[in-house]
Amino acid sequence: MPSSLMLSFLFFLLSLSACSLKTQTTEPEKISHINKENYMIPGINHGLIQSPINILSNEKHETKNHQITLHFQDEIKAVENLGHTVQLDFSKGSSISSDGINYEFKQMHFHTPSEHLIDGMTFPMEMHIVNYAPPATKNGIPHYLVIAVLFKMGNENEFISEFLTLIPKQSNNTVKLEKGRVKLHDLFHDDLSNEMKNYYHYRGSLTTPPYTETVNWFVLKHIIEASPEQIRAINDIEGDNARHIQTIYGRHID
Ligand SMILES: [Zn+2]
């Protein structure tokens, strides 16, 4: 083989190995670009950053600071039986900002069993605190920041007992709550901003239609206790409403 041909063959080999290296180190930023119409899975109306996921606790390598700022008034105005979930609605005026986006506290609801798994383990219940940022432009998509709280069986939970008997028996009904009757503070017995210091964060989607892929998930590491009777009572109302886990496709947990 002439030396010039040999050299170009070597360059060819080098470029091949550079390509394979590139695909191995896919960054989450690049994954977000996959979320385009032409990359959607045929017949399924979503892309590749879906939720929930199985979180491998030893894969949390970096502790990226998400600069969370809370203005939290802890005012819950209503409890709803939506048939597929039990939901508590926040009064206006509480907000959380993270990475330059300001989200308004909207509602929190329950899944039985949990949607997220930690190291392959399902929990009997998961609560989602849903915070919403409206679209920046007319045709834009909203952004969400969802705080996920996992429950294990244990002692009766004070926060749940504050509203459990008030949940409407019939689905698609709402019961208004007096101010101060139900407080998120009674769930954590700590400031929410302190609870927000230990989490698994990743970028994913809503777990119900339309599966919008603009969700910053913060799954809290603190596992909360609730009694088996309380968890069963919520499951009796909403049924098994956990979406099954989705493929990670190279996303990072930080
Ligand atoms: Zn949910």
Side-chain angles (χ1 to χ4, degrees), residues 109 111 115 128 207 217:
H109 61 263
H111 294 271
E115 295 203 302
H128 290 158
T207 65
W217 280 97

Side-chain angles (χ1 to χ4, degrees), residues 100-114:
I101 302 179
N102 195 46
Y103 306 83
E104 191 191 333
F105 276 75
K106 276 285 182 202
Q107 43 95 348
M108 51 192 158
H109 61 263
F110 293 85
H111 294 271
T112 46
S114 72

